[in-house]
Amino acid sequence: MFRAAVRLSVSGVRSLTRTQPWCQAALTSRCYSHGKEETDEEFDARWVTYFNKPDIDAWELRKGMNTLIGYDLVPEPKILEAALKACRRLNDLSTAIRILEAVKDKAGPHKEIYPYLIQELKPTLEDLGISTPEELGIDKV
Amino acid sequence: MSLPKPVMRGLLGKRLRFHLPIAFTLSIISAIAFKYAVTEPRKQAYADFYKQYDSVKEFNAMREAGIFESVRPTGE
């Protein structure tokens, strides 16, 4: 991303975005000039597999979530579902609710994303008995 | 009523691609505007002042005013 930012010069940027493919800053922090670029589906599948590890430990859960939040994307419902189930295996309700707060924050000004995520995650939330921050009243300052 | 899937990827990239060129352009325009609205007139004002500046005349005026210690006004 730094390399991409350095490339942005005033005179060049408009022509740059037209002539060069914009690097998927979401997927990796490097711009591939060679080699296969990972598709969105491969990315999602990789992260679902990461959180679905049956004996995932608390550190790996936190590390995974922190890395995932660092990307320029809001995680797909299926990734979040795997992460919430990992929280269940680790008996960590607080991280589960924190994940919901984090993805709401990741959406930034795009207010339509979080309601969609809650809609998609409703079955999992009910199944695992996870309350949303709104239900707990902790979403307001 | 089920919500449609919104765009969830590349939101920051899209924002930067839109705002960074504008930001750079506006900064450079402000710098150029400041140069020609402020610094160039100031430099011109100094140049104009010193074009007709007689340093000896100014020195003598200061001397007569008695502000120097090394050289007293004429007549002392």
Side-chain angles (χ1 to χ4, degrees):
Chain A
M1 194 58 211
F2 174 70
R3 228 178 293 151
V6 164
R7 275 186 5 228
L8 282 175
S9 62
V10 169
S11 48
V13 67
R14 285 187 191 84
S15 57
L16 264 179
T17 52
R18 255 179 267 126
T19 57
Q20 290 183 19
W22 186 258
C23 297
Q24 291 287 328
L27 304 179
T28 66
S29 59
R30 302 174 296 278
C31 288
Y32 286 143
S33 58
H34 65 279
K36 284 282 181 303
E37 208 174 293
E38 190 181 46
T39 67
D40 289 352
E41 293 72 31
E42 286 166 350
F43 175 86
D44 293 344
R46 196 160 50 82
W47 277 103
V48 168
T49 309
Y50 179 92
F51 286 115
N52 276 343
K53 193 170 94 139
D55 55 346
I56 191 173
D57 67 37
W59 185 91
E60 286 170 350
L61 172 66
R62 290 193 304 271
K63 174 64 181 170
M65 278 316 302
N66 277 307
T67 310
L68 191 57
I69 292 297
Y71 295 136
D72 179 18
L73 52 83
V74 181
E76 289 286 317
K78 51 181 178 310
I79 303 178
L80 298 175
E81 189 186 322
L84 292 174
K85 289 183 172 150
C87 291
R88 174 63 270 187
R89 292 198 293 285
L90 290 162
N91 300 317
D92 193 348
L93 175 63
S94 39
T95 301
I97 298 173
R98 196 56 169 159
I99 289 173
L100 297 177
E101 291 179 316
V103 300
K104 182 174 184 185
D105 183 69
K106 274 304 282 187
H110 303 266
K111 295 205 194 300
E112 70 283 5
I113 296 181
Y114 182 67
Y116 169 79
L117 283 175
I118 295 297
Q119 171 190 283
E120 296 299 308
L121 289 171
K122 234 328 140 243
T124 308
L125 294 177
E126 277 171 19
D127 183 39
L128 300 175
I130 299 170
S131 314
T132 68
E134 292 69 35
E135 287 165 7
L136 295 171
I138 61 172
D139 59 317
K140 303 276 176 282
V141 185
Chain B
M1 192 219 66
S2 127
L3 299 164
K5 179 168 179 187
V7 179
M8 295 185 3
R9 292 183 131 87
L11 298 169
L12 178 65
K14 192 169 83 169
R15 178 189 168 85
L16 287 180
R17 238 171 314 159
F18 178 77
H19 284 98
L20 272 177
I22 295 174
F24 274 84
T25 310
L26 283 180
S27 320
I28 295 196
I29 289 177
S30 337
I32 295 174
F34 189 83
K35 178 185 174 76
Y36 288 107
V38 178
T39 62
E40 285 303 315
R42 275 187 195 165
K43 280 157 66 177
Q44 193 55 41
Y46 271 86
D48 295 340
F49 176 83
Y50 282 106
K51 197 175 302 180
Q52 303 300 332
Y53 185 70
D54 182 351
S55 54
V56 179
K57 169 167 161 256
E58 294 299 323
F59 166 73
N60 282 320
M62 282 189 254
R63 176 187 182 175
E64 299 311 320
I67 63 160
F68 294 127
E69 289 181 8
S70 55
V71 48
R72 301 309 309 164
T74 54
E76 273 187 29

